[in-house]
Amino acid sequence: MNAYEQYMKEVSQPMRDELIHAGFEELTTPEAVDNFIGETKGTSLVVVNSVCGCAAGLARPAIRESLSNEKKPEQLVTVFAGQDREATARMRDYFEGIEPSSPSVALLKDGQVVHFVPREDIEDHDIEEIVANLTNAYNEYC
């Protein structure tokens, strides 16, 4: 690992930890993504995490808050754009017809995307709007 990769790993670790501490499992390899999609039934929340400001100030706080909803996804997983590139690319392969976006949030039911929140629905929105977007989807699909 070169100095840049080491630096980015250190910088991104608190951003990873924020979701891990909220109950998310990190998927760091394409194989882990394939296993998750192939074996998971029911509802899953997939967060495409990133180091950008809107992930830190909006996406992660809103995602954590949304999980206090009565109805919520059964599984919580995350991939990290720009860090775990192969895992992120593989997860995006399962988001058929959806442009890559980070940060972003996908609600899956039996491995199929039923609701997607791209960066454009995170950036320039307030936390309450993002929470409402997610909890409305949970109430419909979970």
Side-chain angles (χ1 to χ4, degrees):
M1 183 179 303
N2 67 36
Y4 172 76
E5 290 169 333
Q6 182 62 36
Y7 172 76
M8 289 307 296
K9 183 176 184 339
E10 291 170 13
V11 166
S12 66
Q13 192 59 53
M15 300 169 200
R16 292 173 181 273
D17 291 345
E18 196 172 344
L19 291 178
I20 292 168
H21 294 313
F24 283 81
E25 176 189 349
E26 280 192 299
L27 304 177
T28 59
T29 66
E31 295 79 19
V33 170
D34 288 340
N35 288 338
F36 174 78
I37 294 292
E39 296 172 6
T40 302
K41 298 295 177 225
T43 55
S44 307
L45 193 67
V46 178
V47 175
V48 179
N49 201 354
S50 80
V51 297
C52 73
C54 69
L58 297 169
R60 289 190 301 270
I63 290 160
R64 287 192 333 267
E65 186 175 327
S66 76
L67 296 174
S68 65
N69 192 54
E70 186 176 326
K71 289 185 174 184
K72 58 188 166 199
E74 298 163 86
Q75 290 88 29
L76 306 172
V77 296
T78 181
V79 292
F80 207 113
Q83 301 296 304
D84 302 320
R85 295 172 195 263
E86 296 85 7
T88 302
R90 181 63 55 88
M91 184 61 79
R92 287 176 170 156
D93 288 343
Y94 290 104
F95 299 167
E96 292 180 36
I98 298 172
E99 289 293 315
S101 178
S102 58
S104 61
V105 185
L107 181 62
L108 281 55
K109 190 158 193 167
D110 298 330
Q112 301 294 313
V113 176
V114 293
H115 185 76
F116 190 78
V117 182
R119 178 187 179 108
E120 64 203 34
D121 289 342
I122 296 169
E123 195 173 41
D124 298 326
H125 291 267
D126 60 38
I127 289 175
E128 293 76 19
E129 289 175 299
I130 302 163
V131 170
N133 183 335
L134 291 169
T135 57
N136 288 339
Y138 302 165
N139 290 337
E140 182 173 348
Y141 297 106
C142 296

